[in-house]
Amino acid sequence: MKNNKPQILIIDDDKAVCVSLELLLGRAGFEVRSTYEPELALFILESLPPDLVVLDMNFSIDTSGAQGLRLLREIHALWPDIPVILITGWGTLELAVEGMKAGARDFITKPWDNARMVSAVKTLLELSLPTEKNAGAGLSQSFDRIIGEDAGLQEVLKIADRVSRTDASVLILGESGTGKELLAEAIHFASPRAKAPFVKVNLGGVSASLFESEMFGHKRGAFTGAVDEREGRFERADKGTIFLDEIGDLDPASQVKMLRVLQEKTFEKLGSSQPRKVDVRVICATNQNLKEKVAEGAFREDLFYRINLITLHLPSLRDRPGDIPLLVDFYLKNLREIYQLPHLAITAAARKWLQEQRFHGNIRQLKNLVERTVLVAGGEKLDKDDFARQYDDELRGADTIVLPRVGEITLEELEKRMILQALEFHRNNINRASRSLGITRSSLYRRLARYQIPYDTES
């Protein structure tokens, strides 16, 4: 970068905005230029291309945003490697979404928060550095818990390690059981926020009626039964990281509330009108195709662009069978210590057989299979048939459960008993239990809350 200082160009036809941002970003250590004549922006960029552009989308001569969008497209076409941050009003988020589609890397609403603006600039500058300038001696230690030598997985981990040093929002995609939560934890503990809280929220288990209380907390007396003040998940995660698992299960009304807190970094406790600021890094995860949900109108497009500045896609275990022996050895090592079986081992035939299986439940299924086989087989030398018997038993019961007898019980009692049996049979695996019951994950979570049935949040 020129003069060892990152150079920022501000494009806004409001002189006051230009002056304000020049002062803010100049104090943050950047070299800042600005123009309040948008028609001159391309000439300035051509004479001395900056490292980053901050672009207003609503000029006074064209409040529709068409001119700003046109200028953005021209900048992206001529200088695709220069990151652009858009400034827009909350009421024009649709314009911001159009800008993201046209190549912008982030958007900030007016009136902006100074800390949020500086953080966004620093994050995009860090991410835009050439890969070789970010290369270190290896991955951060927090990634050691993620086992695998597959090239695709290692590439994901390298990007995750680089991203961990920034405040970039991250969206982790992958099938159930691929280790999305483990990756989120690794990013947090490799980040400057490592000493602050890492707060996990399974959004599939948070009903629309409890969303505000669960996420933002509530004041005493805010509703019937609110006998004490409660701290919400965002407040608990202040200065740290909040991991929003199953973001695709969020209902439309809650999506709007989530977008506001992610965008403005403020929230109000239920029963309070006092805004509270919060400083959190956001990592989301889902096994759903969010682009398809956006196209279907089931997921807000502006929320989608807010959460996926960086997208990491974890490969399925079926796509990296070479890692199966490594994972098996890791689990066996742990089980030797847990069950005091110092000579626990598997045969070469068993190892080969495991590597040939297609684990649709991914790493979680493999781990459960190994531990169940160790417990059931009894011996310390496990062969192919030991694993095959447990695998076959699992397949036979994967999609069916035994229904209780229908007699004098009510429909609700019958439903509760079916859910309990499904959870027991599928070892608290929410995916399989919901599939065997013929309902969605979110529907099962709602029933678990209704009947006050405890469940394993790791499932």
Side-chain angles (χ1 to χ4, degrees), residues 29 41 49 59 68 72 126 134 152 154 157 160 162 170 194 281 285 300 312 315 389 432:
F59 300 125
L72 169 64
E126 174 72 22
N134 284 274
Q154 287 299 313
L157 297 184
R162 177 179 175 182
V170 178
R281 202 264 182 85
R300 291 182 64 98
L312 302 174
R389 274 192 292 271
R432 292 181 187 169

Side-chain angles (χ1 to χ4, degrees), residues 180-200:
K180 297 187 290 294
E181 182 179 316
L182 196 62
L183 180 59
E185 285 183 342
I187 292 172
H188 169 73
F189 288 109
S191 77
R193 297 174 179 263
K195 293 182 179 179
F198 177 77
V199 177
K200 300 178 284 187

Side-chain angles (χ1 to χ4, degrees), residues 29-67:
F30 305 114
E31 186 174 322
V32 189
R33 292 176 295 152
S34 64
T35 177
Y36 45 86
E37 297 179 82
E39 61 274 10
L40 299 179
L42 294 180
F43 295 104
I44 297 172
L45 277 157
E46 190 172 0
S47 63
L48 187 60
D51 298 299
L52 181 142
V53 171
V54 179
L55 172 64
D56 186 27
M57 292 296 286
N58 297 98
F59 300 125
S60 57
I61 60 172
D62 175 26
T63 55
S64 70
Q67 184 182 5

Side-chain angles (χ1 to χ4, degrees), residues 208-421:
S209 60
L210 295 176
F211 179 81
E212 286 186 88
S213 175
E214 185 68 28
M215 303 306 296
F216 311 137
H218 62 250
K219 300 287 287 184
R220 181 179 179 181
F223 52 85
T224 304
V227 294
D228 293 304
E229 184 168 341
R230 178 178 178 177
E231 182 182 53
R233 301 296 185 96
F234 273 96
E235 189 174 3
R236 203 178 307 162
D238 193 31
K239 309 301 181 187
T241 302
I242 190 165
F243 175 54
L244 303 174
D245 199 7
E246 303 300 343
I247 186 76
D249 286 340
L250 205 57
D251 67 278
S254 298
Q255 288 177 32
V256 177
K257 297 166 187 172
M258 182 67 77
L259 177 61
R260 280 195 175 273
V261 69
L262 297 187
Q263 178 61 38
E264 299 179 358
K265 301 296 185 182
T266 61
F267 66 92
E268 292 178 6
K269 280 194 171 188
L270 198 60
S272 170
S273 59
Q274 182 67 39
R276 297 176 182 232
K277 289 186 68 67
V278 65
D279 173 20
V280 294
R281 202 264 182 85
V282 179
I283 303 178
C284 300
T286 182
N287 58 12
Q288 302 182 50
N289 188 323
L290 288 187
K291 287 186 177 180
E292 285 185 1
K293 296 200 73 169
V294 168
E296 295 165 358
F299 198 84
R300 291 182 64 98
E301 196 169 25
D302 43 15
L303 178 58
F304 173 70
Y305 281 109
R306 173 49 63 216
I307 64 176
N308 77 332
L309 180 58
I310 298 294
T311 300
L312 302 174
H313 198 137
L314 279 173
S316 71
L317 192 56
R318 300 183 302 282
D319 293 331
R320 52 186 188 104
D323 285 341
I324 290 177
L326 296 175
L327 288 161
V328 170
D329 287 342
F330 177 76
Y331 298 142
L332 288 176
K333 179 178 180 294
N334 289 339
L335 294 171
R336 287 188 199 104
E337 298 175 2
I338 293 171
Y339 297 115
Q340 300 296 301
L341 297 170
H343 304 297
L344 182 63
I346 64 171
T347 65
R351 189 181 299 273
K352 181 175 183 296
W353 182 87
L354 285 167
Q355 196 167 356
E356 291 171 348
Q357 304 313 302
R358 295 183 64 79
F359 291 99
H360 292 282
N362 291 293
I363 298 170
R364 185 182 295 124
Q365 183 185 2
L366 174 63
K367 180 182 178 182
N368 289 343
L369 176 63
V370 172
E371 184 167 8
R372 190 164 61 251
T373 302
V374 168
L375 293 172
V376 174
E380 291 196 349
K381 188 76 168 179
L382 304 176
D383 202 358
K384 164 189 168 182
D385 291 342
D386 295 316
F387 288 99
R389 274 192 292 271
Q390 299 306 315
Y391 187 80
D392 290 343
D393 287 347
E394 182 182 81
L395 287 180
R396 277 194 293 271
D399 296 308
T400 59
I401 62 171
V402 179
L403 295 176
R405 294 177 58 188
V406 180
E408 299 300 320
I409 63 173
T410 65
L411 183 60
E412 284 193 346
E413 289 171 333
L414 174 62
E415 183 177 59
K416 183 177 180 179
R417 288 175 61 182
M418 289 177 65
I419 291 171
L420 287 169
Q421 187 174 349

